[in-house]
Amino acid sequence: GQLSINSVIVVEKAGAGAINGEYVRDSNDYHGRPMWHKVDNKDMYIWYRRENGGHWRLGGTNDYYYIAEQDSTLPPLKGWKLASEAFNGAYRMNPNSMSPVPELWAKKDTRRDKTTPHTIRLTGAGTKEVNGDYKLCGQYHNKVQFNQCKDPSFYIWFRMEHGGHWRIGKTNDYYYMTSSNGDLPPTEPSSWELGSEAFGGSYARCNNNAVGPNPKLTFFFDDSEGEEENPN
């Protein structure tokens, strides 16, 4: 399958048998890129480092087996080397590392499918520019946040103030708010209110031109969903 940020990565054919197996997306990023940990050994990772123009590593964080000398957004499926042979042997290699080098392939992580949506679609908001698809883009205040596809200045994000609440809009100019502090924003319009009315109107940076009705949110958990349509 095609590798995506939420894929399971299967490592196989490595001479170092401890490396072979399935790796799932870790909750942390490293050096600005996603990382993966091994399902049956959380001390084994696939992760990115910025040094030497950027490269990917496979193994323990201070004791790695294989390196891919590629500055890519996601780890390469082929092109791995023994760590001792990468960058003229400049890096620590696990003594059990040996040929052949691994091959990687991707499959969908079905266990994540109902945990974190890949896309949120907003529909029905009176402020039309808020409507559209928002893609998962990381975390803020320990919750996931989403960025609008058609205008990246729009977000769905969480703030800790007032016991925790979700916002929709621009970071200093928001349109809709909710007092929910759940791990994901609420989906029903009745859970949202205009930013100008939330918390007794105590937020000065809300957009006073926002109008009802409030938006409805629809979650998509499969990478192939939520790609085509971009409603107004």
Side-chain angles (χ1 to χ4, degrees):
Q2 184 176 358
L3 180 61
S4 78
I5 199 170
N6 286 331
S7 295
V8 173
I9 297 178
V10 181
V11 177
E12 60 184 14
K13 301 182 181 178
I19 288 292
N20 294 323
E22 294 189 353
Y23 292 70
V24 295
R25 174 78 190 280
D26 197 79
S27 59
N28 298 303
D29 292 349
Y30 196 75
H31 280 201
R33 308 284 164 91
M35 63 188 295
W36 283 257
H37 66 259
K38 197 166 188 268
V39 171
D40 58 3
N41 181 355
K42 291 189 177 180
D43 292 326
M44 291 283 192
Y45 293 94
I46 302 168
W47 80 106
Y48 173 83
R49 296 279 303 202
R50 295 191 189 104
E51 297 92 344
N52 281 305
H55 63 279
W56 290 86
R57 299 178 180 180
L58 182 48
T61 51
N62 287 312
D63 181 31
Y64 30 94
Y65 293 68
Y66 303 98
I67 286 177
E69 298 172 297
Q70 296 187 37
D71 181 26
S72 51
T73 304
L74 298 172
L77 302 181
K78 297 185 183 297
W80 293 82
K81 298 180 177 181
L82 296 177
S84 60
E85 297 175 358
F87 303 113
N88 298 316
Y91 288 103
R92 304 185 190 98
M93 184 189 79
N94 187 293
N96 295 316
S97 177
M98 64 186 75
S99 296
V101 297
E103 293 184 9
L104 282 59
W105 58 279
K107 68 178 187 178
K108 187 167 70 172
D109 188 351
T110 55
R111 296 177 308 167
R112 292 176 64 93
D113 275 356
K114 298 300 179 186
T115 305
T116 303
H118 183 268
T119 300
I120 296 179
R121 179 169 295 162
L122 261 68
T123 54
T127 306
K128 300 296 186 187
E129 59 263 39
V130 169
N131 294 322
D133 285 359
Y134 291 68
K135 294 290 187 185
L136 178 66
C137 66
Q139 292 192 337
Y140 191 76
H141 281 201
N142 298 320
K143 308 271 190 190
V144 289
Q145 68 172 355
F146 299 81
N147 191 206
Q148 195 189 63
C149 298
K150 65 182 180 183
D151 183 348
S153 66
F154 281 91
Y155 288 89
I156 304 168
W157 81 106
F158 179 81
R159 295 281 302 198
M160 292 177 179
E161 297 93 342
H162 281 103
H165 64 279
W166 287 88
R167 299 177 179 179
I168 297 171
K170 300 178 181 181
T171 52
N172 287 314
D173 179 32
Y174 26 94
Y175 294 68
Y176 303 95
M177 298 172 69
T178 175
S179 58
S180 168
N181 64 359
D183 288 336
L184 292 171
T187 58
E188 291 305 312
S190 59
S191 298
W192 293 88
E193 57 187 328
L194 298 177
S196 58
E197 298 174 359
F199 302 109
S202 59
Y203 281 92
R205 289 177 174 172
C206 61
N207 190 302
N208 289 317
N209 295 318
V211 295
N214 300 327
K216 178 177 176 60
L217 281 64
T218 304
F219 295 162
F220 295 94
F221 296 91
D222 186 321
D223 288 0
S224 64
E225 294 179 309
E227 296 284 353
E228 301 299 330
E229 191 181 342
N230 205 355
N232 292 315

Coordinates of all heavy atoms in Angstrom, one line a residue, residues 29-103:
D29 N 6.4 13.2 17.6 CA 7.2 13.5 16.4 C 8.6 13.7 16.9 O 8.8 13.9 18.1 CB 6.7 14.7 15.6 CG 5.3 14.5 15.0 OD1 4.8 13.3 15.0 OD2 4.7 15.4 14.6
Y30 N 9.5 13.7 15.9 CA 10.9 14.0 16.3 C 11.6 14.7 15.1 O 11.4 14.3 13.9 CB 11.7 12.7 16.6 CG 13.0 12.9 17.3 CD1 13.0 13.2 18.6 CD2 14.2 12.9 16.6 CE1 14.2 13.5 19.3 CE2 15.4 13.1 17.3 CZ 15.4 13.4 18.6 OH 16.6 13.7 19.3
H31 N 12.2 15.8 15.4 CA 12.8 16.7 14.4 C 11.9 17.0 13.3 O 12.2 17.1 12.1 CB 14.1 16.0 13.8 CG 15.3 16.2 14.7 ND1 16.6 16.0 14.3 CD2 15.4 16.4 16.0 CE1 17.5 16.2 15.3 NE2 16.8 16.4 16.3
G32 N 10.6 17.3 13.7 CA 9.6 17.7 12.8 C 9.0 16.7 11.9 O 8.2 17.1 11.0
R33 N 9.3 15.4 12.1 CA 8.7 14.4 11.2 C 8.1 13.3 12.1 O 8.5 13.1 13.3 CB 9.9 13.7 10.4 CG 10.7 14.6 9.6 CD 10.1 15.2 8.4 NE 10.7 16.4 7.9 CZ 11.7 16.3 7.0 NH1 12.1 15.2 6.5 NH2 12.3 17.5 6.6
P34 N 7.1 12.6 11.6 CA 6.5 11.5 12.4 C 7.5 10.4 12.7 O 8.5 10.2 11.9 CB 5.4 11.0 11.5 CG 5.8 11.4 10.1 CD 6.6 12.7 10.2
M35 N 7.2 9.6 13.7 CA 8.1 8.5 14.1 C 7.2 7.3 14.3 O 6.0 7.4 14.6 CB 9.0 8.8 15.2 CG 8.4 9.1 16.5 SD 9.6 9.6 17.8 CE 10.6 8.2 18.0
W36 N 7.7 6.1 14.2 CA 7.0 4.9 14.4 C 7.7 4.0 15.5 O 9.0 4.0 15.5 CB 6.9 4.1 13.1 CG 5.9 4.6 12.1 CD1 4.7 4.0 11.8 CD2 6.0 5.7 11.2 NE1 4.0 4.7 10.9 CE2 4.8 5.8 10.5 CE3 7.0 6.7 11.0 CZ2 4.6 6.8 9.5 CZ3 6.8 7.6 10.1 CH2 5.6 7.7 9.3
H37 N 7.0 3.2 16.3 CA 7.6 2.3 17.2 C 7.1 0.9 16.9 O 6.0 0.7 16.4 CB 7.4 2.6 18.6 CG 6.0 2.5 19.1 ND1 5.1 3.6 19.2 CD2 5.2 1.4 19.4 CE1 3.9 3.2 19.6 NE2 3.9 1.9 19.7
K38 N 8.0 -0.1 17.2 CA 7.7 -1.5 16.9 C 6.6 -2.0 17.9 O 6.6 -1.7 19.1 CB 8.9 -2.4 17.1 CG 8.9 -3.7 16.4 CD 10.3 -4.3 16.4 CE 10.2 -5.6 15.5 NZ 10.0 -6.8 16.4
V39 N 5.6 -2.7 17.3 CA 4.5 -3.2 18.1 C 4.9 -4.0 19.3 O 4.3 -3.8 20.4 CB 3.5 -4.0 17.2 CG1 2.4 -4.6 18.0 CG2 2.9 -3.1 16.1
D40 N 5.8 -4.9 19.1 CA 6.2 -5.8 20.2 C 7.5 -5.4 20.9 O 8.0 -6.2 21.7 CB 6.3 -7.3 19.7 CG 7.4 -7.4 18.6 OD1 8.0 -6.4 18.2 OD2 7.5 -8.5 18.1
N41 N 8.0 -4.2 20.6 CA 9.2 -3.7 21.3 C 9.3 -2.2 21.2 O 9.8 -1.7 20.2 CB 10.5 -4.4 20.8 CG 11.7 -3.9 21.5 OD1 11.7 -3.0 22.4 ND2 12.9 -4.5 21.2
K42 N 8.7 -1.5 22.1 CA 8.6 0.0 22.0 C 9.9 0.7 22.1 O 10.0 1.9 22.0 CB 7.6 0.5 23.0 CG 6.2 0.1 22.7 CD 5.2 0.8 23.5 CE 3.7 0.4 23.1 NZ 2.7 1.0 24.0
D43 N 11.0 0.0 22.2 CA 12.4 0.6 22.2 C 13.0 0.6 20.8 O 14.1 1.1 20.6 CB 13.3 -0.1 23.2 CG 12.9 0.1 24.6 OD1 12.4 1.2 24.9 OD2 13.1 -0.8 25.4
M44 N 12.2 0.0 19.9 CA 12.7 0.0 18.5 C 11.9 1.0 17.7 O 10.6 1.0 17.8 CB 12.5 -1.4 17.8 CG 13.4 -2.4 18.4 SD 15.0 -2.3 17.6 CE 15.8 -3.8 18.2
Y45 N 12.5 1.9 16.9 CA 11.8 3.0 16.2 C 12.3 3.1 14.8 O 13.3 2.6 14.4 CB 12.2 4.3 16.9 CG 11.7 4.5 18.3 CD1 12.4 4.2 19.4 CD2 10.4 5.0 18.5 CE1 12.0 4.3 20.7 CE2 9.9 5.2 19.8 CZ 10.7 4.8 20.9 OH 10.2 5.0 22.2
I46 N 11.4 3.8 14.0 CA 11.8 4.4 12.7 C 11.7 5.9 12.9 O 10.6 6.3 13.2 CB 10.9 3.9 11.6 CG1 10.9 2.3 11.5 CG2 11.3 4.5 10.2 CD1 9.8 1.8 10.6
W47 N 12.8 6.6 12.8 CA 12.7 8.0 13.1 C 13.7 8.8 12.2 O 14.6 8.3 11.6 CB 12.8 8.3 14.5 CG 14.2 8.3 15.1 CD1 15.0 9.4 15.5 CD2 15.1 7.2 15.3 NE1 16.2 9.0 15.9 CE2 16.3 7.6 15.9 CE3 15.0 5.8 15.1 CZ2 17.4 6.8 16.2 CZ3 16.0 4.9 15.5 CH2 17.2 5.5 16.0
Y48 N 13.5 10.1 12.2 CA 14.2 11.1 11.4 C 15.1 11.9 12.2 O 14.8 12.3 13.3 CB 13.2 11.9 10.6 CG 13.8 13.1 9.8 CD1 14.3 12.8 8.5 CD2 13.9 14.4 10.3 CE1 14.9 13.8 7.8 CE2 14.5 15.4 9.6 CZ 15.0 15.1 8.3 OH 15.5 16.1 7.6
R49 N 16.3 12.2 11.6 CA 17.3 13.2 12.2 C 17.7 14.2 11.2 O 17.8 13.9 10.0 CB 18.5 12.4 12.7 CG 18.3 11.4 13.8 CD 18.2 12.1 15.2 NE 19.4 12.9 15.5 CZ 19.7 13.2 16.8 NH1 19.0 12.8 17.8 NH2 20.8 13.9 17.0
R50 N 17.9 15.4 11.6 CA 18.3 16.5 10.7 C 19.7 16.5 10.2 O 20.1 17.1 9.2 CB 18.0 17.9 11.3 CG 16.5 18.1 11.7 CD 16.4 19.6 12.0 NE 15.0 19.9 12.6 CZ 14.7 20.1 13.8 NH1 15.7 20.0 14.7 NH2 13.5 20.3 14.2
E51 N 20.6 15.8 11.0 CA 22.1 15.9 10.7 C 22.4 15.4 9.3 O 21.7 14.5 8.8 CB 22.9 15.1 11.8 CG 22.8 15.7 13.2 CD 21.7 15.1 14.0 OE1 20.8 14.4 13.4 OE2 21.7 15.2 15.2
N52 N 23.5 15.8 8.8 CA 24.0 15.3 7.5 C 23.0 15.5 6.4 O 22.8 14.6 5.5 CB 24.5 13.9 7.6 CG 25.9 13.8 8.2 OD1 26.8 14.4 7.7 ND2 26.0 13.0 9.3
G53 N 22.2 16.6 6.4 CA 21.3 16.9 5.4 C 19.9 16.2 5.6 O 19.1 16.3 4.7
G54 N 19.8 15.4 6.7 CA 18.6 14.7 7.0 C 18.6 13.3 6.6 O 19.1 12.9 5.5
H55 N 18.2 12.4 7.5 CA 18.2 10.9 7.2 C 17.3 10.2 8.2 O 16.9 10.7 9.2 CB 19.7 10.4 7.3 CG 20.3 10.5 8.7 ND1 20.8 11.7 9.2 CD2 20.4 9.6 9.7 CE1 21.3 11.5 10.4 NE2 21.0 10.2 10.8
W56 N 17.0 9.0 7.8 CA 16.1 8.1 8.6 C 16.9 7.0 9.3 O 17.8 6.5 8.7 CB 15.0 7.6 7.8 CG 14.0 8.6 7.4 CD1 14.0 9.4 6.3 CD2 12.8 9.0 8.1 NE1 12.9 10.3 6.3 CE2 12.2 10.0 7.3 CE3 12.1 8.5 9.2 CZ2 11.0 10.6 7.7 CZ3 11.0 9.1 9.6 CH2 10.4 10.1 8.9
R57 N 16.5 6.6 10.5 CA 17.2 5.6 11.3 C 16.2 4.5 11.6 O 15.0 4.8 11.8 CB 17.8 6.2 12.5 CG 18.8 7.2 12.3 CD 19.4 7.8 13.6 NE 20.4 8.8 13.3 CZ 21.1 9.4 14.3 NH1 20.8 9.2 15.6 NH2 22.0 10.4 14.0
L58 N 16.7 3.3 11.9 CA 15.9 2.2 12.2 C 16.6 1.4 13.3 O 17.8 1.0 13.1 CB 15.7 1.3 11.0 CG 14.9 0.0 11.1 CD1 13.5 0.2 11.7 CD2 14.7 -0.5 9.7
G59 N 16.0 1.3 14.5 CA 16.6 0.6 15.6 C 16.3 1.3 16.9 O 15.3 2.0 17.1
G60 N 17.2 1.2 17.9 CA 17.1 1.9 19.2 C 17.6 3.3 19.0 O 18.5 3.5 18.2
T61 N 17.2 4.2 19.8 CA 17.5 5.6 19.6 C 19.0 5.9 19.8 O 19.6 6.8 19.2 CB 16.8 6.5 20.6 OG1 16.9 6.1 21.9 CG2 15.3 6.6 20.2
N62 N 19.7 5.1 20.6 CA 21.2 5.2 20.7 C 21.9 4.0 20.2 O 23.1 3.8 20.6 CB 21.6 5.5 22.2 CG 21.2 6.9 22.6 OD1 21.5 7.9 21.9 ND2 20.5 7.1 23.7
D63 N 21.3 3.2 19.5 CA 21.8 1.9 19.1 C 21.1 1.3 17.9 O 20.2 0.5 18.0 CB 21.6 0.9 20.4 CG 22.1 -0.5 20.2 OD1 23.1 -0.6 19.5 OD2 21.5 -1.4 20.7
Y64 N 21.4 1.9 16.7 CA 20.6 1.6 15.6 C 21.3 0.7 14.6 O 22.5 0.6 14.6 CB 20.1 2.9 14.9 CG 21.0 4.1 15.1 CD1 21.9 4.4 14.1 CD2 20.9 4.9 16.2 CE1 22.8 5.5 14.3 CE2 21.8 6.0 16.4 CZ 22.7 6.3 15.4 OH 23.5 7.3 15.6
Y65 N 20.5 0.2 13.7 CA 20.9 -0.9 12.9 C 21.1 -0.4 11.4 O 22.1 -0.8 10.8 CB 19.9 -2.0 12.9 CG 19.7 -2.8 14.2 CD1 19.2 -2.2 15.3 CD2 20.1 -4.1 14.3 CE1 19.1 -2.9 16.5 CE2 19.9 -4.8 15.5 CZ 19.4 -4.2 16.6 OH 19.3 -4.9 17.7
Y66 N 20.1 0.3 10.9 CA 20.1 0.7 9.5 C 19.8 2.2 9.4 O 19.1 2.8 10.2 CB 19.1 -0.1 8.8 CG 19.3 -1.6 8.9 CD1 18.6 -2.4 9.8 CD2 20.3 -2.3 8.1 CE1 18.8 -3.7 10.0 CE2 20.5 -3.6 8.2 CZ 19.8 -4.4 9.2 OH 20.0 -5.7 9.3
I67 N 20.3 2.8 8.3 CA 20.1 4.2 8.0 C 19.8 4.4 6.6 O 20.3 3.7 5.7 CB 21.4 5.0 8.4 CG1 21.6 5.2 9.9 CG2 21.4 6.4 7.7 CD1 22.9 5.9 10.3
A68 N 18.8 5.3 6.3 CA 18.5 5.7 4.9 C 18.9 7.1 4.8 O 18.4 8.0 5.5 CB 17.0 5.5 4.6
E69 N 19.8 7.4 3.8 CA 20.4 8.7 3.6 C 19.4 9.5 2.7 O 19.8 9.9 1.6 CB 21.8 8.7 3.0 CG 22.8 8.0 3.9 CD 24.1 7.7 3.3 OE1 24.2 7.0 2.3 OE2 25.1 8.3 3.7
Q70 N 18.2 9.8 3.2 CA 17.2 10.5 2.4 C 16.5 11.5 3.3 O 16.1 11.2 4.4 CB 16.2 9.5 1.8 CG 16.8 8.5 0.8 CD 15.7 7.7 0.2 OE1 14.6 8.2 -0.1 NE2 16.0 6.4 -0.1
D71 N 16.4 12.7 2.8 CA 15.7 13.8 3.5 C 14.3 13.9 3.0 O 13.9 14.7 2.2 CB 16.4 15.1 3.3 CG 15.8 16.3 4.0 OD1 15.1 16.0 5.1 OD2 15.9 17.4 3.6
S72 N 13.5 12.9 3.4 CA 12.1 12.8 2.9 C 11.1 13.0 4.0 O 11.4 12.9 5.2 CB 11.9 11.4 2.3 OG 12.3 10.4 3.2
T73 N 9.9 13.4 3.6 CA 8.8 13.7 4.6 C 8.5 12.4 5.4 O 8.2 12.5 6.6 CB 7.6 14.2 3.9 OG1 8.0 15.4 3.2 CG2 6.5 14.6 4.9
L74 N 8.4 11.3 4.7 CA 8.1 10.0 5.3 C 9.3 9.0 5.1 O 10.1 9.2 4.1 CB 6.9 9.4 4.7 CG 5.6 10.2 4.9 CD1 4.4 9.6 4.1 CD2 5.2 10.2 6.4
P75 N 9.5 8.0 5.9 CA 10.6 7.1 5.7 C 10.6 6.4 4.4 O 9.5 6.0 3.9 CB 10.5 6.1 6.9 CG 9.1 6.2 7.3 CD 8.7 7.6 7.0
P76 N 11.7 6.2 3.7 CA 11.8 5.5 2.4 C 11.5 4.0 2.6 O 11.9 3.4 3.6 CB 13.2 5.8 1.9 CG 14.0 6.0 3.1 CD 13.1 6.7 4.1
L77 N 10.9 3.4 1.6 CA 10.6 1.9 1.7 C 11.9 1.1 1.3 O 12.0 0.0 1.7 CB 9.4 1.6 0.8 CG 8.1 2.3 1.2 CD1 7.0 1.9 0.3 CD2 7.8 2.1 2.7
K78 N 12.7 1.7 0.5 CA 13.9 1.0 0.0 C 15.1 2.0 0.2 O 14.9 3.2 0.4 CB 13.8 0.5 -1.4 CG 12.7 -0.5 -1.6 CD 12.7 -1.0 -3.0 CE 11.6 -2.0 -3.3 NZ 11.7 -3.2 -2.4
G79 N 16.3 1.5 0.0 CA 17.5 2.3 0.0 C 18.1 2.4 1.4 O 18.9 3.3 1.6
W80 N 17.9 1.4 2.2 CA 18.5 1.4 3.5 C 19.9 0.8 3.5 O 20.2 0.0 2.6 CB 17.7 0.6 4.5 CG 16.3 1.3 4.8 CD1 15.2 1.3 4.1 CD2 16.1 2.1 5.9 NE1 14.2 2.0 4.6 CE2 14.7 2.6 5.8 CE3 16.8 2.6 7.0 CZ2 14.1 3.5 6.7 CZ3 16.2 3.4 7.9 CH2 14.9 3.9 7.8
K81 N 20.8 1.3 4.4 CA 22.2 0.8 4.5 C 22.4 0.3 5.9 O 21.8 0.7 6.9 CB 23.2 1.9 4.2 CG 23.1 2.5 2.8 CD 24.2 3.6 2.7 CE 24.2 4.2 1.3 NZ 25.2 5.2 1.2
L82 N 23.5 -0.6 6.1 CA 24.0 -0.8 7.4 C 24.4 0.5 8.0 O 25.0 1.3 7.3 CB 25.2 -1.8 7.4 CG 24.9 -3.2 6.9 CD1 26.2 -3.9 6.8 CD2 23.9 -3.9 7.7
A83 N 24.1 0.7 9.3 CA 24.5 2.0 9.9 C 26.0 2.2 9.8 O 26.4 3.4 9.7 CB 24.0 2.0 11.4
S84 N 26.8 1.2 9.8 CA 28.2 1.3 9.8 C 28.7 1.8 8.4 O 29.8 2.3 8.3 CB 28.9 -0.1 10.0 OG 28.5 -1.0 9.1
E85 N 27.9 1.7 7.4 CA 28.3 2.1 6.0 C 27.7 3.5 5.6 O 28.1 4.0 4.6 CB 27.8 1.0 5.0 CG 28.5 -0.3 5.2 CD 27.9 -1.4 4.3 OE1 27.0 -1.1 3.5 OE2 28.5 -2.5 4.4
A86 N 26.8 4.0 6.4 CA 26.2 5.3 6.1 C 27.1 6.4 6.6 O 27.7 6.3 7.6 CB 24.8 5.4 6.8
F87 N 27.2 7.5 5.8 CA 28.0 8.6 6.2 C 29.4 8.3 6.6 O 29.9 8.7 7.6 CB 27.2 9.5 7.2 CG 25.9 9.9 6.9 CD1 24.7 9.4 7.5 CD2 25.7 10.8 5.8 CE1 23.5 9.8 7.2 CE2 24.4 11.2 5.5 CZ 23.3 10.7 6.1
N88 N 30.0 7.4 5.9 CA 31.4 6.9 6.1 C 31.6 6.4 7.5 O 32.6 6.6 8.1 CB 32.3 8.1 5.8 CG 32.3 8.5 4.4 OD1 32.3 7.7 3.5 ND2 32.3 9.8 4.2
G89 N 30.6 5.7 8.0 CA 30.7 5.1 9.3 C 30.7 6.0 10.5 O 31.3 5.7 11.6
A90 N 30.1 7.2 10.3 CA 30.1 8.2 11.4 C 29.2 7.9 12.6 O 29.3 8.5 13.6 CB 29.7 9.5 10.8
Y91 N 28.3 6.9 12.4 CA 27.2 6.7 13.5 C 27.4 5.4 14.2 O 27.9 4.4 13.7 CB 25.9 6.8 12.8 CG 25.5 8.2 12.4 CD1 25.6 8.6 11.1 CD2 25.1 9.1 13.3 CE1 25.3 9.9 10.7 CE2 24.8 10.4 13.0 CZ 24.9 10.8 11.7 OH 24.6 12.1 11.3
R92 N 26.8 5.4 15.4 CA 26.8 4.2 16.2 C 26.0 3.1 15.6 O 24.8 3.3 15.2 CB 26.1 4.4 17.6 CG 26.7 5.6 18.4 CD 25.9 5.5 19.8 NE 26.2 6.7 20.6 CZ 25.4 7.8 20.6 NH1 24.3 7.8 19.9 NH2 25.7 8.8 21.4
M93 N 26.5 1.9 15.5 CA 25.8 0.8 14.9 C 25.6 -0.4 15.9 O 26.6 -0.7 16.6 CB 26.5 0.2 13.7 CG 25.7 -0.9 13.0 SD 26.6 -1.7 11.7 CE 27.6 -2.8 12.6
N94 N 24.5 -1.0 16.0 CA 24.3 -2.1 16.8 C 25.2 -3.3 16.3 O 25.1 -3.5 15.1 CB 22.8 -2.5 16.8 CG 22.5 -3.7 17.8 OD1 23.0 -4.8 17.6 ND2 21.8 -3.4 18.8
P95 N 26.0 -3.9 17.1 CA 26.9 -4.9 16.6 C 26.2 -6.1 16.0 O 26.8 -6.9 15.3 CB 27.6 -5.4 17.9 CG 26.8 -4.9 19.0 CD 26.1 -3.7 18.6
N96 N 24.9 -6.3 16.2 CA 24.1 -7.4 15.6 C 23.5 -7.0 14.2 O 22.9 -7.8 13.6 CB 22.9 -7.8 16.5 CG 23.4 -8.4 17.8 OD1 24.4 -9.2 17.9 ND2 22.8 -7.9 18.9
S97 N 23.8 -5.8 13.8 CA 23.3 -5.4 12.5 C 24.1 -6.1 11.4 O 25.3 -6.3 11.5 CB 23.5 -3.9 12.3 OG 23.2 -3.5 11.0
M98 N 23.4 -6.6 10.4 CA 24.1 -7.4 9.3 C 23.2 -7.3 8.1 O 22.0 -7.0 8.1 CB 24.3 -8.8 9.8 CG 23.0 -9.6 10.0 SD 23.3 -11.3 10.7 CE 23.7 -10.8 12.4
S99 N 23.8 -7.7 7.0 CA 23.1 -7.8 5.7 C 22.2 -9.1 5.7 O 22.6 -10.0 6.5 CB 24.1 -7.9 4.6 OG 24.8 -6.7 4.5
P100 N 21.1 -9.1 4.9 CA 20.7 -8.0 4.0 C 20.0 -6.9 4.8 O 19.6 -7.1 5.9 CB 19.8 -8.8 3.1 CG 19.2 -9.9 3.9 CD 20.3 -10.3 4.8
V101 N 20.0 -5.8 4.1 CA 19.3 -4.6 4.6 C 17.8 -4.8 4.5 O 17.3 -5.6 3.7 CB 19.7 -3.3 3.9 CG1 21.2 -3.1 4.1 CG2 19.4 -3.3 2.4
P102 N 17.0 -4.1 5.3 CA 15.5 -4.3 5.3 C 14.8 -3.7 4.1 O 15.3 -2.8 3.5 CB 15.1 -3.6 6.6 CG 16.1 -2.6 6.8 CD 17.4 -3.1 6.3
E103 N 13.7 -4.3 3.9 CA 12.7 -3.7 3.0 C 11.5 -3.3 3.8 O 11.1 -4.0 4.7 CB 12.3 -4.6 1.8 CG 13.5 -4.9 0.9 CD 13.1 -5.8 -0.3 OE1 11.8 -6.0 -0.5 OE2 14.0 -6.2 -1.0

